[in-house]
Amino acid sequence: MQGTLTNAGQPVAGVVINVSDESGTSAGKATSAADGKWSVPVKGPGTYKVDLDTTTLPQGVTVANGRPSLTLTVFEGAARNVLFPLGTAAAPGSEPAESEGPSQLERVLDLIYTGIHFGLIIALAALGLSLIFGTMGLTNFAHGELITFGALSCFVLNVWWNVPVVISAILAVVVGGAFGWFQDRVFWGWLRTRRTGLISMMIISIGVALVLRYVYLYIFGGTTVQYAEYVAQPGIDLGPIAVAPKNLVMDAIAIVVLVVVSLALTKTRLGKATRAVSNNPALAAASGISVDAIIRLVWTIGGALAALSGVMLGLFQGVNYQMGFQILLLVFAAVTLGGLGTAFGALLGSLVVGLATQLSTLWIPTELKNVGALVVLIVIIMFRPQGILGRRERIG
């Protein structure tokens, strides 16, 4: 929560701001500086009450709209600007000065940015899930635990072993890729060799997800924890919105990774072999392509992308043993919306899901924001069953 107090274009210093959560517990306190700015880091997303102590205002200055207390929602990873319009106290018998309330445009722009940021995080996981589905035809319900694995790996390195978070994130991505390779090497590959059906493998993936989730719970507990660095950052003003620097860095990394992986799938020989296995595994094998080696590579890439998504999600909203499971439905929605098995479709679907999730809070409570994304999914699939970039297939 942050803001700048000004009166007649001049900063107002020494004003006390108190912030409390929904239960009334104090979340922080700040005093406006010489430039009128104040900032209170809060523990996470949620609804907070912000109180301006009117007794600390300079003599003759008052809150212009008569509202020294505001109840506002802080979204994941975003700094929330708080506006207290100040003015000179009206003389007895005169009309009060007009007040300017919070701008609806600022809120919409803030939600659009948050939606794009969240969509890019989902896209990393959705791309890996789409690749696995494209090559194996497997709907992997344990993919959410790969996301959690990446976040928890980074947490262990950063908090338990005191490795800087940037290095921890890189190592977590490597470990996530190795975990994906290991799963296919000792488990999924063995099931393929035994010619286990896709329905059976899907049900097995649910069991794998449950086992991994409760292993995480046993080791790390059920509380939400934070990395040792980059937890609370003051926002950088980008026009009408303020954005934490870590979010801008994460956006740039996500875009570069998504573009590089997508181009590799379309331009390199390895990518062409992957697409050949996705289109027709039997014909690809007859052409001399090692189907098992390609699928194992896809699992490695999928694990690394999921781990990177988990690291970013942990920076965005904290680390919890259920974090991957909580966004798994949105990841599935993004893959389905973009078109099953298509890399660029997963990216496009993720952006639509991210924007729908955040913008829906303009009309519905924040707790129900995932409903907005699912409604958009249902509406689009009704008119385009194959997804936005999917291809029509003949049945029968």
Side-chain angles (χ1 to χ4, degrees), residues 36-260:
K37 295 187 181 227
W38 62 269
S39 177
V40 177
V42 293
K43 61 183 179 181
T47 301
Y48 295 88
K49 185 181 179 186
V50 187
D51 296 301
L52 184 148
D53 188 348
T54 55
T55 62
T56 60
L57 287 171
Q59 187 176 6
V61 177
T62 185
V63 181
N65 62 3
R67 295 173 58 200
S69 296
L70 298 172
T71 301
L72 302 168
T73 300
V74 176
F75 300 100
E76 296 98 336
R80 181 63 190 263
N81 289 319
V82 183
L83 176 63
F84 285 110
L86 303 181
T88 304
S94 63
E95 294 186 5
E98 290 188 11
S99 63
E100 53 176 295
S103 169
Q104 181 73 357
L105 176 62
E106 289 182 6
R107 186 185 176 198
V108 171
L109 292 176
D110 184 55
L111 290 173
I112 289 174
Y113 170 75
T114 306
I116 293 173
H117 178 71
F118 187 45
L120 289 172
I121 293 175
I122 293 175
L124 291 168
L127 180 55
L129 181 64
S130 181
L131 288 174
I132 292 170
F133 177 85
T135 52
M136 282 185 63
L138 171 65
T139 304
N140 181 23
F141 282 88
H143 198 75
E145 310 330 305
L146 292 177
I147 298 171
T148 309
F149 181 83
L152 292 175
S153 298
C154 184
F155 176 80
V156 169
L157 291 164
N158 178 235
V159 178
W160 291 6
W161 297 350
N162 297 315
V163 179
V165 73
V166 174
I167 299 176
S168 298
I170 296 171
L171 294 176
V173 172
V174 174
V175 172
F179 187 48
W181 178 91
F182 177 80
Q183 278 195 45
D184 188 68
R185 178 68 179 81
V186 303
F187 187 65
W188 299 111
W190 178 72
L191 290 176
R192 282 198 311 276
T193 303
R194 293 176 58 89
R195 299 188 181 278
T196 305
L198 289 176
I199 298 298
S200 298
M201 292 176 74
M202 181 185 71
I203 295 172
I204 291 170
S205 76
I206 298 174
V208 172
L210 290 172
V211 170
L212 289 175
R213 194 176 312 148
Y214 289 108
V215 168
Y216 300 153
L217 174 62
Y218 180 78
I219 297 174
F220 297 95
T223 59
T224 299
V225 293
Q226 303 286 346
Y227 297 127
E229 303 164 66
Y230 308 114
V231 176
Q233 288 185 316
I236 299 174
D237 289 329
L238 298 177
I241 64 173
V243 180
K246 65 178 181 180
N247 291 350
L248 295 175
V249 173
M250 286 192 288
D251 293 341
I253 293 173
I255 290 171
V256 169
V257 170
L258 289 167
V259 169
V260 168

Side-chain angles (χ1 to χ4, degrees), residues 334-349:
V335 173
T336 306
L337 188 59
L340 291 170
T342 61
F344 290 106
L347 171 59
L348 181 58

Side-chain angles (χ1 to χ4, degrees), residues 1-2 17-19 27-31 38-42:
M1 312 290 284
Q2 63 183 18
I17 306 289
N18 294 291
V19 179
K29 180 179 180 180
T31 302
W38 62 269
S39 177
V40 177
V42 293

Side-chain angles (χ1 to χ4, degrees), residues 290-310:
S290 175
V291 174
D292 277 344
I294 292 297
I295 292 177
R296 199 150 296 150
L297 173 67
V298 165
W299 270 95
T300 304
I301 295 172
L305 290 172
L308 180 58
S309 175

